[in-house]
Structures are given as structure tokens and as C-alpha cells.
Amino acid sequence: MDYQKVKQGFSLVLEGLGIDPNDPHFLETSERTARAWTNELCVGLIKENFTLTTFPLDSGDHPGMIVLQHIPVRSLCAHHLLPFTGEATVAYIPNEKLCGLSKLSRVVNFFARKPQVQEHLTSDVAVYLQEKLEPQGVGVIVKAKHMCMELRGVEHSGLMTTSSLLGTFLEVPVRSEFMALAHANHSSF
Ligand SMILES: [Zn+2]
């Protein structure tokens, strides 16, 4: 990532918009914005910043579905570079490996932190967990509000739901159980 280029880019945007460069509120805006984008909003473009520790399943254990709900999603849309924010539900049925629940949040947060389309975020999380945990199946649902719909265009509340199902989650009984769990408990965001 090239901080200098990002900073120059934001300076050009301000210049192009005709913002007075001497307005005290804008004096350090390009630096501040570039720091926020490179250090926080787009850290998902940098190499994985966590390790997914796994634990072996005790022999004789046959756990069913493991579900984590209300995982915060904070991302940027690829088409307008405006935020989309909401929540993810992530579930898997283990084979031989388990992971800490908080790691599911970390995976979502890592993949969220870059400009992208919501469909890719949803499938990136599912494919990553399928590779790392080698479970019987994975299900991911993301519900997010898109500021590009709220602030421009149709100015309609842009709540979008995407899902990615792999392995046994493609089979009807598992899919139905997952969907029922995922939609049972809404929180406001
Ligand atoms: Zn957009």
C-alpha cells in the first residue's frame, strides 16, 4: 500500500471539488483521511493479521451446528467507496477441528476491511473457513446497509442480504436449520 499516493489522491479530490485549501478545517484532511484508509479501513488488503488457531474435536463428540450471530461488518463498496455496515452470521458443522468463537469475528473483520462487493465478502469468509477448518459445511449470511443507496441514487434504505453456503449447508435440512437460526434473532443496527 502506498500512503503517499493515497494522500495525494485525497488532496486532488479536495482540489477538484474546489475546497479552499486554506480553510482551517481542511488543512490536514488529506493526511488524516489517508491514515484512516491505509491503517484501518483497508487493512484487509494487507497480509492476514491473525492466526486461526484450531482445536481438535474430542473423539466421541459429535457437535451439531456452531453459530455466531451479530458479528459487526464494516466495509466499503467497490463501486462508490462509500461504507456498507451491518451484521454477519457465521456457522459451521465441524469434522475434526474447532476454532475459538472470537476468531470467527476476526475472520469477518479481516475480510471486511477493504473496498469490495458484499457478495465477495460473504463468499471469502465461507471459503476461508472451509479451507482452514475442513468442516462438514459452512454457512455465512451478511446483512448490510449500503450508504451508496441511502445517500445517492434512489435514496432508498439499502439493506442487502447475501449468503454463501458450502458442503452440508447446501442440503435442505441443514440449510433450513441455519436460515431459521440466522433470521430468528434480529437486532437493530
Ligand atoms: Zn456502492
Side-chain angles (χ1 to χ4, degrees), residues 59-115:
S59 60
D61 272 2
H62 299 287
M65 193 179 293
I66 296 168
V67 186
L68 185 63
Q69 285 179 278
H70 307 309
I71 303 169
V73 169
R74 308 277 180 257
S75 193
L76 298 161
C77 90
H79 302 146
H80 304 92
L81 300 181
L82 287 169
F84 64 91
T85 61
E87 292 188 339
T89 300
V90 173
Y92 69 103
I93 300 177
N95 252 332
E96 293 172 357
K97 294 179 193 170
L98 296 170
C99 77
L101 267 190
S102 67
K103 289 297 163 79
L104 296 177
S105 297
R106 281 193 181 276
V107 171
V108 171
N109 193 47
F110 173 71
F111 284 105
R113 295 301 186 139
K114 61 186 170 191

Side-chain angles (χ1 to χ4, degrees), residues 65 67 89 91 93 137-141 163-183:
M65 193 179 293
V67 186
T89 300
I93 300 177
V138 174
V140 178
I141 292 179
S163 67
S164 182
L165 307 174
L166 298 173
T168 50
F169 280 66
L170 291 165
E171 294 162 17
V172 172
V174 177
R175 176 200 290 251
S176 309
E177 181 187 348
F178 175 55
M179 291 297 173
L181 283 167
H183 294 297

